[in-house]
Amino acid sequence: MEQMHRLIEIVHTAKRMVFFGGAGVSTGSGIPDFRSEDGLYRQKYRFPPEQILSHTFFIHRTEEFFRFYRDKMLYLNAKPNAAHWKLAQWEQAGRLSAVITQNIDGLHQMAGSKRVLELHGSVHRNTCMQCGAHFSAQEILNSTGIPRCPCGGIIKPDVVLYEESLDERTLMEAVREIRTADVLLIGGTSLQVYPAASLIHYFQGDHLVLINQSSTPADKNADLLITGKIEEIFSQVDFL
Ligand code: NAD
């Protein structure tokens, strides 16, 4: 199709691509997103997921938070898909300078991407709130009730919850990457979560490419808009 030719042309002539993505990048790896038809937000819980994944809920209903978190946020057997692999290859070939992700699953790193800016943290880092000791995601999964450090402190996943602010340094680096990119590839994100979604407005390069399964508020700004599964679309772009 015409749009695929255009994508291949843009990718092949790009000098400094940056990728900005979200949960849709990992649905092909079996991790549900939040806002698709079968996403987490369409399922029924005692509390809405936005409330469970908030700082207030974590503090006041910690045990319930971890029940949901273990059940719905930890997919430790998931493997990277074609979208993750392709981005890692482009970086290795010196054509892509960074992956900026809202995902917390660590799949970009598992595929070999080196420069990954995790705007919302990672399930793979977990820290004792009392002594600062670190724990793996597997240790959180294996624990029951409220996960605790040997010192007695509660272990908190380094995931940005609603009401919490994003890491300042990661944000600044993301802005710098987007500002200096000649091509911004955006994919698998509803662009509804702020401030992450506002970062794309720093782009001043040549081509803004948007690949998503459903419409987003940025569709009108895209030079190239492709509707479909990002893992299928990226796998059709040859290795550079
Ligand atoms: P979202 O659920 O709001 O939106 C996902 C978007 O991706 C939707 O627009 C959907 O149409 C699209 N999509 C789904 N599968 C796709 C595919 N295969 N190819 C192309 N597009 C696809 O997700 P979001 O915008 O990332 O924002 C929600 C928040 O969810 C983020 O802050 C993130 O931290 C968190 N989250 C992360 C994970 C993860 O780490 N894998 C999973 C669920 C939610």
Side-chain angles (χ1 to χ4, degrees):
M1 74 186 176
E2 174 61 29
Q3 285 161 313
M4 274 314 299
H5 288 137
R6 184 100 179 86
L7 175 64
I8 290 166
E9 189 186 312
I10 289 174
V11 168
H12 280 212
T13 53
K15 294 194 172 56
R16 194 183 166 84
M17 294 189 285
V18 164
F19 180 75
F20 180 93
V25 175
S26 294
T27 52
S29 297
I31 304 179
D33 64 8
F34 279 177
R35 293 181 180 76
S36 288
E37 281 300 307
D38 50 357
L40 205 53
Y41 283 10
R42 306 283 172 106
Q43 301 171 25
K44 291 274 173 280
Y45 299 104
R46 208 149 74 85
F47 298 96
E50 299 95 317
Q51 195 177 334
I52 304 177
L53 296 171
S54 69
H55 185 78
T56 306
F57 199 93
F58 175 81
I59 298 297
H60 296 291
R61 292 176 176 267
T62 316
E63 191 160 352
E64 192 153 2
F65 170 90
F66 276 108
R67 227 184 356 256
F68 179 89
Y69 181 82
R70 282 191 200 93
D71 197 28
K72 299 292 170 191
M73 306 300 287
L74 291 180
Y75 292 86
L76 303 186
N77 294 324
K79 297 280 178 289
N81 63 54
H84 301 101
W85 295 119
K86 193 62 76 167
L87 288 162
Q89 287 176 351
W90 289 340
E91 181 187 38
Q92 206 175 13
R95 310 296 293 278
L96 183 120
S97 64
V99 167
I100 302 168
T101 184
Q102 299 164 85
N103 291 351
I104 55 176
D105 55 32
L107 290 185
H108 286 294
Q109 291 91 332
M110 203 187 282
S113 284
K114 299 284 180 253
R115 185 152 167 75
V116 183
L117 300 174
E118 295 174 312
L119 296 171
H120 294 157
S122 172
V123 299
H124 296 290
R125 292 186 298 272
N126 301 277
T127 311
C128 170
M129 293 170 80
Q130 202 159 283
C131 74
H134 297 296
F135 298 87
S136 69
Q138 192 65 51
E139 287 173 290
I140 301 296
L141 191 63
N142 293 348
S143 65
T144 50
I146 300 174
R148 288 197 183 265
C149 176
C151 85
I154 296 174
I155 304 169
K156 185 175 187 291
D158 289 348
V159 163
V160 179
L161 301 175
Y162 289 100
E163 304 161 356
E164 293 179 343
S165 46
L166 277 59
D167 177 65
E168 193 68 27
R169 192 172 159 180
T170 309
L171 263 180
M172 297 309 290
E173 286 186 33
V175 167
R176 198 172 61 223
E177 287 292 349
I178 291 174
R179 257 200 190 126
T180 52
D182 64 344
V183 172
L184 180 62
L185 303 168
I186 302 172
T189 172
S190 62
L191 294 173
Q192 283 182 40
V193 178
Y194 282 83
S198 59
L199 287 176
I200 65 169
H201 299 303
Y202 287 98
F203 181 62
Q204 49 195 20
D206 301 329
H207 302 290
L208 192 145
V209 178
L210 184 40
I211 302 163
N212 212 52
Q213 257 189 325
S214 56
S215 59
T216 78
D219 287 5
K220 56 186 180 309
N221 306 328
D223 299 299
L224 176 62
L225 179 66
I226 305 184
T227 304
K229 294 190 177 196
I230 191 159
E231 63 275 24
E232 290 174 5
I233 290 157
F234 273 7
S235 62
Q236 292 173 55
V237 182
D238 289 340
F239 180 60
L240 304 172

